[in-house]
Amino acid sequence: MMRTNSYSNKILNINNQVIEDVNHFTYLGSRISQNGNSKDDIKDKLMKARRAFGMLRTIWESRKVTTKTKLHLFKTNQLSVLLYGSESWKLIGIISNKLNAFQKKCLRRILRIFWTKIRSNKELTKRTEIEPMSEAVKRRWK
């Protein structure tokens, strides 16, 4: 059980079993926090998206798979994992920047743009035709 805006510390018993008090829990794949903040859920989704991206490492590094196919895989797999439940997020500057940074890092890896090569984010967006992550989240709110 999770209490919000409650000053009661009463123990809840159902069928003589004590129900545990928690500060957060996962429901339908989203992390719900006692304070109502979406920061923990976004951090959790970023971790899952990083893991999903890493699992496809051989595809990202393959020269046999076209860039168009890689970008399609990225949109359908990684973005789906990351943006699941994003309609309920409250985006603040720092979190928005983390989402965009993750996306740019992935796209640079797919396009084989290494850290020694300087490319603007605008150029990256134009080349991949994938909108910034924070914009995708805002668009889902409409």
Side-chain angles (χ1 to χ4, degrees):
M1 153 178 73
M2 186 172 71
R3 301 172 200 242
T4 57
N5 297 327
S6 174
Y7 299 104
S8 173
N9 290 331
K10 276 183 132 178
I11 296 173
L12 179 63
N13 287 309
I14 298 177
N15 293 334
N16 293 324
Q17 288 190 329
V18 175
I19 305 300
E20 178 186 2
D21 265 325
V22 295
N23 295 325
H24 56 82
F25 65 93
T26 301
Y27 179 70
L28 296 176
S30 293
R31 190 174 173 105
I32 311 295
S33 299
Q34 190 173 25
N35 61 8
N37 195 336
S38 56
K39 194 162 53 170
D40 290 337
D41 186 35
I42 294 170
K43 285 170 78 174
D44 191 46
K45 293 291 187 332
L46 276 168
M47 182 185 67
K48 289 176 181 177
R50 279 189 196 99
R51 195 176 313 131
F53 188 80
M55 291 173 75
L56 297 176
R57 181 183 214 169
T58 55
I59 292 173
W60 310 136
E61 294 174 354
S62 173
R63 294 191 185 271
K64 294 178 182 178
V65 181
T66 65
T67 302
K68 184 177 178 179
T69 302
K70 291 177 185 180
L71 290 173
H72 183 71
L73 279 171
F74 178 74
K75 285 183 204 177
T76 56
N77 293 337
Q78 276 58 52
L79 298 187
S80 298
V81 169
L82 183 58
L83 295 179
Y84 178 78
S86 63
E87 296 83 3
S88 64
W89 293 350
K90 178 184 175 188
L91 277 186
I92 56 175
I94 294 169
I95 292 172
S96 182
N97 291 342
K98 284 184 180 188
L99 290 171
N100 291 334
F102 167 75
Q103 178 187 28
K104 300 302 180 195
K105 184 178 179 179
C106 292
L107 293 176
R108 288 174 187 274
R109 182 114 187 237
I110 290 169
L111 297 175
R112 297 180 167 275
I113 300 173
F114 301 103
W115 67 272
T116 55
K117 296 180 184 177
I118 298 173
R119 299 287 186 270
S120 71
N121 289 338
K122 283 184 181 180
E123 180 184 340
L124 199 61
T125 302
K126 184 178 177 182
R127 200 167 150 191
T128 60
E129 297 178 355
I130 298 176
E131 67 183 332
M133 195 66 63
S134 57
E135 296 302 317
V137 171
K138 289 175 187 174
R139 190 173 36 77
R140 286 177 171 225
W141 292 342
K142 293 179 183 179

